[in-house]
Amino acid sequence: MVLDPVCRMQIFPREAQATEIYRGRLYYFCSPGCQERFLQEPEKHAPDVSAMRLTVGVMGSAAEQIPEAVGAKAFSLGQYIAQAQLALITGACPGLPYQCARGAYQQGGASIGISPALSLDEHLLKYRSPADVYDVIIYTGSGLMGREVTNIRSSDMVVILGGRSGTLGEFAIAYDEGKLIGILEGTGGITEQIPEIVASFKKDSGARLVYSQDPGVLIQEMTNAYTQHHFRRPSCFCSSGFTNEMKSCSS
């Protein structure tokens, strides 16, 4: 359960009548009235209620040789994630995810790396991966393929940029698990084939896809989609018995 920051009513998150992101954290409301009161004075209500920071997982090519323009897009994506005060999650690998993490670091954003390694030593030497721009590195010991599930399930939203077969695997996990997925167009790799791939699935997993060539627009549209409707079923692991019949306060 979570607390409405205005009326202090206890709410099951998916039964909230409205949500709002403030300083990167997601707040739940029992009614649009409480949401409106919150928006009038967020600095008054937010400090009294704990709220989790939303996470954005960025999945993409780990190739060290990447086109300059694509690397710049990845860097800009990290900047926008940090400016929105969302937490960035990547596979702590080189390539496009690293450029994104660099962008977040440059803006003072929170950055979490999910490493395939058992330790920092193995992360640096065996996997030849960077460790200089992360606030936290989680050592899974799961290898390159095994850590993909941790990446996806730890992310509220997932962005795909560039990428090859490994990124396609991450996209498939995110799609099957009903995630909100952003596609950063113009970054090459599998992003160019995703519309065709999804059409061939003929399967409604609950996943929602957002497309844009502009990193800032992509993050804005994804956060809008999450707060407006995707929070009600953020993944396929949510209970199917949800009814959305919660009573609201009198606000």
Side-chain angles (χ1 to χ4, degrees):
M1 302 290 280
V2 296
L3 286 179
D4 182 315
V6 176
C7 70
R8 302 298 194 271
M9 177 181 285
Q10 286 193 325
I11 309 168
F12 184 64
R14 289 188 296 119
E15 292 181 348
Q17 299 302 302
T19 64
E20 194 69 42
I21 298 173
Y22 177 65
R23 294 184 176 175
R25 300 180 185 275
L26 186 65
Y27 294 86
Y28 299 86
F29 304 93
C30 75
S31 68
C34 279
Q35 179 191 28
E36 184 177 349
R37 288 175 59 191
F38 177 86
L39 290 174
Q40 290 172 355
E41 297 181 288
E43 68 285 350
K44 172 184 175 181
H45 300 290
D48 294 333
V49 173
S50 61
M52 292 181 64
R53 192 183 298 267
L54 284 177
T55 55
V56 180
V58 172
M59 315 297 156
S61 174
E64 295 189 12
Q65 299 299 319
I66 54 178
E68 183 177 348
V70 176
K73 272 199 171 189
F75 188 89
S76 180
L77 176 66
Q79 290 181 309
Y80 280 112
I81 291 171
Q83 287 167 11
Q85 299 186 49
L86 307 171
L88 171 66
I89 292 178
T90 69
C93 58
L96 294 177
Y98 178 60
Q99 292 304 316
C100 186
R102 287 185 61 243
Y105 179 81
Q106 191 265 346
Q107 291 291 314
S111 184
I112 302 164
I114 310 292
S115 172
L118 288 164
S119 65
L120 176 60
D121 186 77
E122 189 175 84
H123 180 81
L124 295 171
L125 300 178
K126 178 179 178 179
Y127 291 98
R128 300 188 178 280
S129 291
D132 59 326
V133 292
Y134 307 104
D135 294 285
V136 177
I137 296 181
I138 297 172
Y139 301 104
T140 65
S142 299
L144 292 171
M145 299 294 288
R147 59 95 188 267
E148 291 180 353
V149 172
T150 302
N151 287 359
I152 300 301
R153 291 181 180 169
S154 300
S155 303
D156 295 305
M157 300 171 275
V158 174
V159 176
I160 303 294
L161 65 162
R164 297 170 292 187
S165 58
T167 307
L168 179 60
E170 290 167 320
F171 171 77
I173 295 168
Y175 187 88
D176 269 4
E177 298 197 353
K179 290 288 186 177
L180 175 61
I181 306 170
I183 312 299
L184 186 56
E185 297 175 306
T187 54
I190 68 160
T191 59
E192 299 175 359
Q193 282 79 48
I194 282 179
E196 182 179 350
I197 291 170
V198 171
S200 71
F201 286 164
K202 297 179 180 174
K203 173 183 180 181
D204 182 8
S205 65
R208 184 179 297 269
L209 274 63
V210 178
Y211 295 86
S212 180
Q213 294 195 19
D214 186 305
V217 171
L218 185 66
I219 293 302
Q220 184 62 60
E221 292 187 354
M222 290 180 71
T223 54
N224 288 344
Y226 195 92
T227 56
Q228 290 171 12
H229 39 70
H230 206 76
F231 76 92
R232 298 195 187 282
R233 191 177 184 272
S235 82
C236 68
F237 300 111
C238 297
S239 170
S240 60
F242 171 64
T243 61
N244 193 30
E245 294 180 351
M246 188 200 79
K247 295 180 179 180
S248 65
C249 73
S250 58
S251 298

